[in-house]
């Protein structure tokens, strides 16, 4: 391992790009993306080291810390490589580059730069080399990336300078105590598998990083459930937020079930996911006593800076978690591709319709959405063969293939794709066009088409301002638009057995009753976009023809307001 640039060119084989462009990707393709992220990290680290050379610090200087990392890599190159390509390392590098450029905030810069010292300590512990460094402590704690959090007893609160020594896998940490004297501790840092039969009681001096474990024919896979790393979030550093044991064990049970769902034999197409590709799961907040009804996931997010990391609120079912894992891994894959190829020329103006969002999006957001939801469609396509999921899966497959193809068309006609970008989006189009020819149960297909029309109609009513010069593809946006909840996409997943509301009658393929219900409700709330969208879609279903198609295309032009 070296921070020096490699002379050999870094080229992706055409067959691997084709796999990824189709929305899937083999283990070999994902490994290539990881190698690309490693090369990028080393280049960014070299840039960061140059910027930190003149930094005044009470800690071990950055160049000395980096020398210790390289020394550890000579003995244990794979272990140190895993540390360098860990998602939180990427998050820290990106954040520090923003700090030195004045575009981010946080603790004192010298303390944040000291994360490199923590990386050096961790590398030495993993490699079994000897090292001594002056490190930054937060409330007496030193976070060791990928291992856990060492906490001095009776430590001085706030930011301080400590001394860390690594020897034969043992950590000795010392620093200022609350009484002004030096306090110290010694431990052998190690992670804690959540699937262990009986986990020992936690030592307050050492909080191990918990790992979600999953057994495969190739052996056990351990994925960090990270509630400790300061750079586990997608922006500024955050303090540790330890899950209680019951919540952590609930994550393990759910993850095992999700991994079993994803274990579909054969192929590497869109929607297929090896759980080993996941690098870190960050639990978001505290899960309610009863998580939201499936398949809702309140929060899921990822960042191109942190390949393989996903921030997720624990859902109620393994089915929903498995879908979320597929979705977020796609974002990581595309983020890595964007680091290797200029895929589009994006002016970052948020003006395009995304069928899974309430707000207008820029082209990069559209590309991410199309890539993620193509895989989500593939995920539900696989579930259609499972009798207990078949109906819901058919709906989600039909909905997501339709919505993703709409966005792919927007991208292809935008005139903003580069040559590699066009190849990528054309690959998605081929996958989706083939899927659009596959039969789906008529009832599920009808509900999916109705839900798609409802979302687009309500989006335009809430976001688009009628006026001259606007087109369906590039509308003029309302200045007073607000966030709105999408209450229909999931509600239409199941046909109502005893419909009562207008939405339920529409989902039950009874547009006449739905139309009357919407009209009655509009009498009291004539400008409600949710009701208007339902009225327009129900009317189009009851009275198909050119007039209805025009109204669906430009619902914001609706005049006068409906009366029945």
């Amino acid at each position: 391992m070296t921070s020096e640039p490699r002379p050999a060119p870094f080229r992706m084989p055409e067959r691997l790009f084709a796999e990824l462009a189709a929305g899937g990707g083999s283990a070999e393709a994902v490994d290539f993306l990881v190698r690309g992220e490693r090369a990028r990290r080393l280049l960014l680290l070299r840039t960061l080291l140059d910027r930190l050379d003149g930094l005044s610090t009470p800690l071990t200087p950055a160049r000395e810390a980096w020398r210790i990392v390289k020394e550890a890599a000579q003995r244990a190159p794979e272990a140190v490589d895993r540390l360098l390509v860990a998602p939180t390392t990427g998050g820290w590098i990106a954040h520090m580059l923003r700090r030195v450029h004045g575009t981010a905030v946080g603790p004192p810069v010298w303390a944040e730069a000291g994360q490199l010292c923590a990386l050096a300590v961790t590398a030495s512990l993993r490699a079994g080399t000897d090292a001594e460094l002056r490190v930054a402590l937060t409330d007496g704690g030193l976070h060791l990336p990928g291992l856990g959090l060492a906490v001095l007893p009776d430590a001085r609160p706030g930011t301080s300078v400590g001394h860390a020594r690594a020897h034969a896998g043992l950590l000795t940490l010392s620093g200022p105590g609350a009484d002004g004297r030096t306090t110290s501790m010694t431990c052998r840092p190690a992670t804690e598998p959540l699937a262990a039969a009986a986990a020992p009681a936690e030592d307050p001096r050492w909080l191990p990083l918990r790992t979600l474990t999953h057994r495969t024919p190739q052996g056990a896979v351990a994925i960090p459930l990270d509630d400790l790393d300061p750079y586990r979030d997608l922006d500024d550093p955050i303090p540790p937020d330890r899950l209680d044991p019951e919540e952590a064990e609930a994550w393990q049970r759910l993850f095992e079930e999700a991994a079993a769902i994803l274990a579909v034999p054969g192929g590497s197409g869109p929607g297929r996911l090896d759980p080993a590709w996941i690098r870190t799961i960050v639990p978001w907040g505290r899960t309610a006593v009863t998580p939201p009804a499936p398949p809702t996931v309140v929060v899921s997010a990822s960042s191109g800076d942190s390949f393989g990391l996903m921030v997720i609120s624990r859902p109620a079912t393994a089915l929903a978690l498995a879908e979320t894992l597929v979705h977020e891994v796609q974002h990581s894959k595309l983020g890595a591709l964007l680091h290797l190829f200029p895929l589009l020329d994006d002016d970052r103006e948020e003006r395009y319709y995304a069928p899974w969002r309430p707000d207008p999006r820029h082209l990069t957001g559209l590309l991410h959405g199309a890539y993620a939801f193509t895989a989500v469609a593939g995920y539900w396509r696989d579930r259609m063969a499972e009798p207990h999921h078949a109906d819901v899966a058919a709906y989600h497959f039909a909905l997501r293939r339709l919505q993703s193809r709409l966005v792919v068309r927007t991208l292809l006609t935008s005139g903003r794709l580069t040559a590699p970008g066009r190849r990528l989006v054309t690959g998605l189009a081929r996958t989706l066009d083939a899927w659009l020819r596959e039969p789906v149960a008529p009832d599920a297909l009808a509900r999916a088409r109705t839900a798609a029309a409802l979302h687009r109609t309500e989006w335009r009513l809430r976001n688009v301002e009628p006026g001259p010069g606007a087109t369906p593809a590039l509308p003029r946006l309302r200045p007073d638009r607000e966030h709105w909840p999408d209450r229909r996409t999931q509600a239409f997943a199941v046909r109502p057995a005893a419909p009562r509301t207008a939405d339920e009658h529409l989902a039950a393929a009874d547009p006449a009753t739905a139309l009357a219900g919407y009209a009655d409700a509009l009498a009291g709330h004539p400008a409600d976009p949710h009701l208007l969208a339902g009225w327009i879609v129900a009317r189009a279903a009851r009275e198909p023809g050119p007039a209805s198609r025009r109204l669906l295309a430009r619902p914001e032009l609706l005049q006068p307001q409906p009366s029945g």
Side-chain angles (χ1 to χ4, degrees), residues 50-74:
D50 289 342
R51 296 301 299 264
L52 295 179
D53 268 346
L55 178 68
S56 176
T57 176
L59 310 178
T60 297
R63 293 285 176 183
E64 174 63 14
W66 182 242
R67 183 196 63 77
I68 292 170
V69 172
K70 292 198 291 183
E71 182 181 277
Q74 291 174 357

Side-chain angles (χ1 to χ4, degrees), residues 58-440:
L59 310 178
T60 297
R63 293 285 176 183
E64 174 63 14
W66 182 242
R67 183 196 63 77
I68 292 170
V69 172
K70 292 198 291 183
E71 182 181 277
Q74 291 174 357
R75 178 177 294 188
E78 291 186 3
V80 177
D81 261 357
R82 286 196 299 272
L83 181 62
L84 290 177
V85 299
T88 53
T89 302
W92 168 72
I93 294 171
H95 176 75
M96 276 306 302
L97 288 171
R98 291 193 291 269
R99 285 299 307 268
V100 299
H101 285 95
T103 59
V105 298
V109 174
W110 64 263
E112 288 211 86
Q115 180 74 358
L116 185 57
C117 296
L119 285 165
V121 174
T122 305
S124 292
L125 289 167
R126 288 187 177 277
T129 57
D130 291 350
E132 294 192 34
L133 298 99
R134 297 185 304 279
V135 295
L137 304 178
T138 302
D139 297 328
L142 173 65
H143 181 264
L144 301 176
L147 290 176
L149 178 67
V151 182
L152 289 172
D154 302 317
R156 191 176 80 190
T159 302
S160 60
V161 178
H163 182 271
R165 180 173 182 262
H167 173 69
L170 281 174
L171 169 70
T172 301
L173 180 66
S174 61
D179 60 2
R181 300 179 182 180
T182 298
T183 180
S184 64
M185 59 88 72
T186 298
C187 67
R188 185 177 295 277
T191 59
E192 178 185 275
L194 276 165
E202 286 192 339
D203 182 344
R205 299 173 305 165
W206 174 247
L207 296 180
L209 180 67
R210 295 171 173 141
T211 58
L212 300 166
T213 55
H214 165 57
R215 298 197 176 278
T216 72
Q218 293 74 38
V221 174
I223 296 167
L225 180 68
D226 199 338
D227 51 11
L228 297 173
D229 197 299
Y231 300 98
R232 69 190 185 276
D233 199 28
L234 306 180
D235 195 3
D236 296 331
I238 57 175
D241 188 16
R242 193 65 160 169
L243 295 180
D244 59 51
E246 292 77 14
E247 174 74 359
E249 289 163 7
W251 268 103
Q252 173 62 36
R253 290 192 297 271
L254 203 64
F255 180 77
E256 282 185 287
E257 295 173 18
I261 290 171
L262 292 169
V264 179
S268 57
R272 303 293 175 89
L273 169 64
D274 181 348
W277 296 350
I278 303 164
R279 296 305 178 98
T280 300
I281 292 176
V282 176
W284 182 83
R286 286 292 185 271
T287 303
V289 175
T290 303
T296 300
V297 178
V298 174
V299 169
S300 74
S302 52
S303 166
D305 295 327
S306 306
F307 181 86
L309 178 145
M310 49 199 71
V311 180
I312 304 176
S313 60
R314 180 169 64 86
T317 67
L319 193 67
L321 178 59
E323 178 192 9
T324 302
L325 298 177
V326 168
H327 181 114
E328 296 303 338
V329 165
Q330 285 295 103
H331 284 308
S332 282
K333 286 160 57 181
L334 182 61
L337 279 171
L338 285 164
H339 290 157
L340 295 173
F341 301 98
L343 297 178
L344 72 172
D345 175 22
D346 188 359
D347 60 9
R348 308 298 291 185
E349 187 172 345
E350 297 182 330
R351 61 174 179 268
Y352 297 97
Y353 171 61
W356 32 79
R357 297 275 302 210
D359 52 338
R361 295 291 283 157
H362 46 61
L363 284 173
T364 301
L366 282 195
L367 182 59
H368 264 284
Y371 199 69
F373 278 100
T374 295
V376 168
Y379 167 81
W380 287 111
R381 179 172 176 262
D382 285 337
R383 308 284 81 72
M384 288 168 62
E386 302 166 1
H388 48 301
H389 296 143
D391 183 55
V392 170
Y395 166 83
H396 285 294
F397 171 59
L399 176 68
R400 297 313 188 188
R401 70 180 181 178
L402 175 65
Q403 293 177 326
S404 298
R405 189 58 180 89
L406 174 64
V407 171
V408 161
R409 183 178 67 183
T410 301
L411 289 164
L412 288 172
T413 57
S414 68
R416 295 278 187 160
L417 295 174
T418 63
R422 180 163 285 276
R423 286 167 56 206
L424 178 76
V425 179
T426 299
L428 294 178
R430 291 195 192 98
T431 295
L432 293 164
D433 286 344
W435 285 350
L436 284 165
R437 292 190 289 270
E438 294 184 3
V440 173

